[in-house]
Amino acid sequence: MPKLLVDGSPEGRIPADDPGLLLGMTVFDTLRTYGRVPFRLDAHVRRLGASAAIMGIPMPPPAQVRAELLDALEPDAWLRYTLTAGGHRVLQVHPVDPARIARPIAVDWLVWPEGVGPPGPVKHGNRAWWIRAAQQAGVDEVLLVRPNGELCEASLSNVIAVVDGALVTPPTDGRCLEGVTRGAMLDAAARAGLPLREGVVRRDDPIEELYVCSTLKELAPIGRIGGAPGPGAGPLGRALHQAFRALVAEACGEDPGGPLVGDR
């Protein structure tokens, strides 16, 4: 089932002088299917276009991107669509790994000063700094925290915390990536009457539950931070994950199934 298409062809190639290879000038977006139905396809295509515009990377017409993704769909798969600064398109398709969904992860803090790296709203491919930081710390991801202690996002995910009995996710405010799954969590919480809002979360807040959310993890609790136990899962996170699953079931026509937060 895995596929790799370059410019629409399994025989396609990227020239060695493409700035995407030489300078890390790429943008991408990753979506997944539930059954054979892509979840929030149009939101992913819009975000890809916005990232490309900010980075000055050529973007095909959205209808073409959408058609290429739909042509490559597989059941219960993730699809990553990458654009390079040299004008090439890379489409990867792989089975979803159920073991990643709701699995507790280990993280460490990484102070991330303003103005470092590409703009926050861009889903870019230049992730070497974050990957290396996670490797050195021996963790799954790093939590990006501003010098004043405010949480921004994780290196592969958005952040959702429980503080004072309410669910809170850091505001995107032009400095963090506006995750499609994060948006779905906000929508699901509103439909279910759960107290999820955008607001500042600081490293030293009394965090009762702590999660990251993304396309491939849905909602995953933070089990360890910097070698110490993390807040992990709790009742509000589980209720949010259940509400998200109900949203997916309505959008895709079937119950996604699989583990929920707190099952692992």
Side-chain angles (χ1 to χ4, degrees), residues 102 209 211 219-221 233-234 237-238 241 259-264:
E209 304 173 29
Y211 306 92
L219 193 66
R238 187 175 179 87
H241 199 183
L260 288 166
V261 158
D263 287 346
R264 297 186 186 277

Side-chain angles (χ1 to χ4, degrees), residues 110-186:
L110 179 64
V111 176
W112 195 250
E114 303 292 345
V116 174
V122 177
K123 195 167 179 67
H124 55 83
N126 190 356
R127 294 165 182 259
W129 182 293
W130 300 340
I131 291 171
R132 187 63 184 137
Q135 289 173 339
Q136 290 176 323
V139 296
D140 300 296
E141 298 185 43
V142 287
L143 288 179
L144 307 184
V145 60
R146 300 188 177 106
N148 67 358
E150 290 182 17
L151 271 68
C152 180
E153 58 189 332
S155 50
L156 298 173
S157 320
N158 286 115
V159 175
I160 297 175
V162 174
V163 182
D164 293 331
L167 291 152
V168 187
T169 184
T172 52
D173 64 17
R175 296 183 292 177
C176 301
L177 186 69
E178 191 167 349
V180 172
T181 301
R182 172 187 179 275
M185 293 286 174
L186 285 163

Side-chain angles (χ1 to χ4, degrees), residues 29-167:
D29 226 287
T30 302
L31 61 92
R32 69 154 292 182
T33 60
Y34 288 88
R36 293 193 65 90
V37 180
F39 183 62
R40 299 207 164 183
L41 170 60
D42 291 337
H44 284 285
V45 174
R46 284 195 299 270
R47 188 173 63 176
L48 179 67
S51 295
I54 293 172
M55 295 294 287
I57 291 175
M59 167 79 173
Q64 176 185 337
V65 176
R66 193 175 190 278
E68 290 181 345
L69 288 165
L70 289 173
D71 285 345
L73 289 184
E74 297 283 351
D76 297 313
W78 59 262
L79 299 86
R80 171 173 162 152
Y81 195 105
T82 301
L83 300 172
T84 77
H88 296 280
R89 314 182 312 280
V90 181
L91 176 56
Q92 300 164 264
V93 184
H94 287 270
V96 167
D97 180 2
R100 295 186 64 179
I101 296 172
R103 176 179 64 85
I105 70 168
V107 302
D108 204 350
W109 306 104
L110 179 64
V111 176
W112 195 250
E114 303 292 345
V116 174
V122 177
K123 195 167 179 67
H124 55 83
N126 190 356
R127 294 165 182 259
W129 182 293
W130 300 340
I131 291 171
R132 187 63 184 137
Q135 289 173 339
Q136 290 176 323
V139 296
D140 300 296
E141 298 185 43
V142 287
L143 288 179
L144 307 184
V145 60
R146 300 188 177 106
N148 67 358
E150 290 182 17
L151 271 68
C152 180
E153 58 189 332
S155 50
L156 298 173
S157 320
N158 286 115
V159 175
I160 297 175
V162 174
V163 182
D164 293 331
L167 291 152

